[in-house]
Amino acid sequence: MPLVIFTLILLAWTLVACLSAYSNHAQMKQNFHALARERGQSLFDLMEVTREWNARHGGIYAPVSSQNQPNPFLDVPKRDLKADGLDLTMVNPAYMTRQISEIANSRGGIAFHITSRKPIRPANAPDEWESMALKAFETDRTPFLEQTGTGADAQFRFMAPLIVKESCLNCHAAQAYKLGDVRGGISVTMPAASTLAAIERETMRMLVQHAAAYIVISGLMVLLYLRAQAHIQTLDETARIQEDLVRKRTQELLEANAALGRSNSELEQFAYAVSHDLQEPLRMVASYVQLLGRRYQSKLDEDADAFIGYASDGAKRMQQMITDLLDFSRVQTKSDPFQPVAMDKTLDLALGNLDLVLKETQSSIEADRASLPVVYGDKGQLSRLFQNLIGNAVKYRDPSRAPHISIKAARQEGFWTITVEDNGIGIEPQHFERIFRVFQRLHGRGTYEGNGIGLAICKKIVERHGGRIWVDSKPGQGTRFHFTLPVLPEGKARETNKSAKP
Ligand code: ADP
């Protein structure tokens, strides 16, 4: 992996880690705020329940004391009473709220403040924050929570609206409030320093955890990257060694091939020379054996006559074999230069040479001439190829039916496949390979004429042209010989269009 990509991945990971830390911190803050909101709401609810209890009684009476002076803002008929010589004064919900707030405030923790936009008691007038909340309650009655101040002065300020209920109207109907109106609100102020400190502590712990995870994972990534790089280097090195090896082996193979080619052609030259030079002494042996036969026929004993006959026959066969071998060698040694050759014309040549036998055997030929290509090769040899295959198709005919031979070609990628099919006696699959070898025959001389050289020559011709030959057959039904020839290269094709001759 290139360094740039790895750096990008590392950057992406850093971004993910930072985002995670940030969202954790935000979530934590949100949780603490939700807790503060719940706490404020509970305290507010408790206060409201107490006030409702008081309002349901239409206010309660408590002895007048220094902390419970008659409320000058309470304008009701029986605000002050005397009972058993004890001075009592009415404590309505608002006065009670104020008194509870004072107790709470004096303890220096949570503070309550009952307030309204139209306060009866001026001290109940809202501060700036409360005014903002009261104004907001006119359209949306959702309770408010906000953190104000910092450090030791930090506070959570909660405020919820006071809604006019039936029991409130006793005192507040005169202010033209109706049932369900927002009459004011109670703000609950809670110290937030300890909560903020907790948030800070948690944030710190979370940051430490993130940093540790970041360092460990980043370290692992770097480690993995370095190991991968080392691995890639080893692979590259191995690939290079293998490439060198392949190059070396290819070179060796090419050299071996060239050597093989050289020795092959030497061998062919040798075979040609030997078979050519053998002809002369063999001709001498054959003629003298024939002379012996003619001169001493019936003059010696019967065995001598038979022996002379065998010797003469053997010499003749050997002469034929040498001729065939020479023929086989000549495919390589005595060939015409390659040129563009129209295969339908070579077929016609072959059919012309076989004319007599085709007529005698009433053979029918079905050639798809349009499919036959123009190839690059030796015209004489390619015509011989057709001649051998068609000749065999006639020779190995089924006695029960007239030979029918079809010839066609098809293109497959860079090669033409030409097929010669007959309806003859067929060949057993186990002989498919063998029949292409020199002097290999499946029948005795008495059954079918021949020396087993025809298909070997076909194979040699096809291979010389860069193709291959094979057979498939169903014994008793017929045989198909297929051979391939390379498709004519572009340049040669143009040449052919101008000058292709039969
Ligand atoms: P030859 O025909 O002289 O024996 P070939 O090399 O031409 O030699 O053929 C080798 C053997 O392959 C033949 O002996 C024959 O058994 C078999 N063969 C060749 N062509 C056919 C064919 N078309 N149908 C059946 N058998 C065949």
Side-chain angles (χ1 to χ4, degrees):
M1 190 196 307
L3 187 62
V4 188
I5 296 182
F6 177 70
T7 313
L8 283 177
I9 292 174
L10 206 61
L11 279 178
W13 159 234
T14 310
L15 195 71
V16 167
C18 290
L19 279 176
S20 162
Y22 175 77
S23 86
N24 261 279
H25 175 65
Q27 185 64 46
M28 205 182 298
K29 243 171 120 177
Q30 211 174 322
N31 290 348
F32 276 106
H33 277 233
L35 273 177
R37 179 183 287 279
E38 256 175 47
R39 200 163 159 228
Q41 184 71 52
S42 308
L43 290 166
F44 173 86
D45 288 348
L46 194 65
M47 184 63 87
E48 227 196 1
V49 168
T50 320
R51 284 164 56 80
E52 194 171 340
W53 166 80
N54 186 313
R56 279 189 189 176
H57 292 301
I60 56 151
Y61 286 93
V64 175
S65 67
S66 60
Q67 282 104 26
N68 190 31
Q69 285 296 305
N71 183 357
F73 301 101
L74 187 58
D75 185 16
V76 289
K78 287 181 186 159
R79 191 192 70 184
D80 300 311
L81 290 178
K82 224 179 189 32
D84 283 347
L86 201 63
D87 289 329
L88 297 173
T89 188
M90 181 183 272
V91 179
N92 72 340
Y95 193 26
M96 181 192 73
T97 308
R98 179 153 50 97
Q99 286 187 8
I100 293 175
S101 303
E102 277 163 11
I103 296 169
N105 294 354
S106 70
R107 293 171 69 182
I110 292 158
F112 297 93
H113 187 220
I114 181 161
T115 179
S116 160
R117 302 187 79 194
K118 289 190 270 176
I120 300 173
R121 179 174 168 260
N124 284 358
D127 64 19
E128 203 181 322
W129 185 85
E130 288 165 338
S131 291
M132 182 263 299
L134 285 170
K135 194 160 174 10
F137 290 150
E138 282 172 14
T139 48
D140 180 3
R141 296 176 178 188
T142 315
F144 244 74
L145 180 93
E146 205 174 337
Q147 184 205 317
T148 60
T150 50
D153 297 331
Q155 293 174 328
F156 283 122
R157 296 206 67 184
F158 175 86
M159 182 149 175
L162 283 171
I163 312 295
V164 175
K165 297 184 185 140
E166 195 70 51
S167 52
C168 308
L169 289 174
N170 296 338
C171 303
H172 294 286
Q175 285 174 288
Y177 282 120
K178 294 187 301 297
L179 215 60
D181 278 353
V182 174
R183 195 181 52 68
I186 296 177
S187 73
V188 184
T189 305
M190 299 163 279
S194 62
T195 308
L196 292 184
I199 292 178
E200 221 165 89
R201 268 198 315 281
E202 285 302 307
T203 304
M204 195 46 77
R205 189 183 316 166
M206 180 269 293
L207 281 178
V208 168
Q209 281 169 354
H210 268 71
Y214 176 77
I215 291 168
V216 169
I217 293 175
S218 301
L220 279 176
M221 281 167 77
V222 171
L223 215 68
L224 272 176
Y225 173 73
L226 292 177
R227 286 201 62 176
Q229 286 302 99
H231 195 60
I232 287 169
Q233 240 172 22
T234 317
L235 281 179
D236 280 353
E237 183 67 12
T238 315
R240 204 183 50 71
I241 292 171
Q242 272 176 352
E243 262 170 36
D244 282 354
L245 208 69
V246 168
R247 211 170 298 128
K248 205 170 141 214
R249 290 279 178 273
T250 313
Q251 188 55 34
E252 284 171 6
L253 260 174
L254 284 173
E255 280 164 17
N257 237 354
L260 210 67
R262 273 196 305 278
S263 90
N264 220 3
S265 95
E266 275 163 18
L267 211 66
E268 265 161 11
Q269 298 286 347
F270 174 76
Y272 177 75
V274 166
S275 38
H276 186 265
D277 294 350
L278 275 178
Q279 273 185 320
E280 186 44 42
L282 192 63
R283 206 173 293 133
M284 196 182 277
V285 171
S287 30
Y288 278 105
V289 170
Q290 272 174 13
L291 195 66
L292 266 178
R294 273 203 303 276
R295 230 183 247 183
Y296 297 101
Q297 181 82 40
S298 316
K299 293 191 181 140
L300 304 170
D301 60 13
E302 257 181 41
D303 279 354
D305 283 351
F307 294 160
I308 293 170
Y310 295 148
S312 168
D313 195 38
K316 265 191 236 147
R317 274 176 35 219
M318 194 155 169
Q319 267 180 320
Q320 184 58 49
M321 281 170 93
I322 287 176
T323 311
D324 289 343
L325 268 181
L326 267 174
D327 231 15
F328 182 72
S329 313
R330 279 191 188 115
V331 173
Q332 200 67 33
T333 51
K334 301 264 183 299
S335 59
D336 289 338
F338 275 18
Q339 58 179 351
V341 178
M343 286 304 276
D344 58 339
K345 302 291 189 299
T346 59
L347 174 66
D348 286 341
L349 270 178
L351 291 177
N353 292 341
L354 292 167
D355 190 48
L356 200 64
V357 68
L358 290 174
K359 279 190 180 129
E360 272 173 12
T361 52
Q362 295 179 332
S363 301
S364 58
I365 305 287
E366 182 191 343
D368 181 358
R369 284 165 196 284
S371 72
L372 290 175
V374 172
V375 297
Y376 195 61
D378 180 327
K379 192 177 61 177
Q381 289 188 351
L382 291 173
S383 160
R384 173 111 187 251
L385 175 62
F386 269 137
Q387 193 170 321
N388 283 5
L389 294 177
I390 297 170
N392 274 353
V394 176
K395 191 186 338 176
Y396 298 104
R397 64 186 175 274
D398 189 314
S400 65
R401 52 189 179 245
H404 178 82
I405 301 144
S406 69
I407 301 117
K408 61 179 182 227
R411 186 176 167 162
Q412 222 175 16
E413 290 172 8
F415 285 88
W416 290 102
T417 301
I418 299 172
T419 303
V420 178
E421 180 173 4
D422 65 46
N423 61 345
I425 57 171
I427 303 169
E428 297 284 345
Q430 68 268 27
H431 304 308
F432 284 177
E433 296 276 330
R434 208 188 112 195
I435 54 172
F436 292 101
R437 286 187 220 133
V438 177
F439 300 137
Q440 290 296 323
R441 309 199 66 228
L442 304 182
H443 307 277
R445 199 168 304 277
T447 335
Y448 292 99
E449 274 288 305
N451 298 314
I453 197 82
L455 287 180
I457 289 178
C458 287
K459 185 166 188 271
K460 199 154 192 187
I461 291 175
V462 171
E463 284 173 357
R464 224 194 126 222
H465 283 77
R468 62 188 191 94
I469 185 167
W470 70 99
V471 65
D472 73 75
S473 170
K474 285 204 180 92
Q477 290 183 29
T479 305
R480 266 188 306 209
F481 280 93
H482 312 272
F483 61 90
T484 61
L485 292 173
V487 166
L488 197 62
E490 191 57 33
K492 305 277 184 237
R494 256 181 268 120
E495 203 178 300
T496 317
N497 287 340
K498 284 188 231 138
S499 64
K501 289 184 284 184

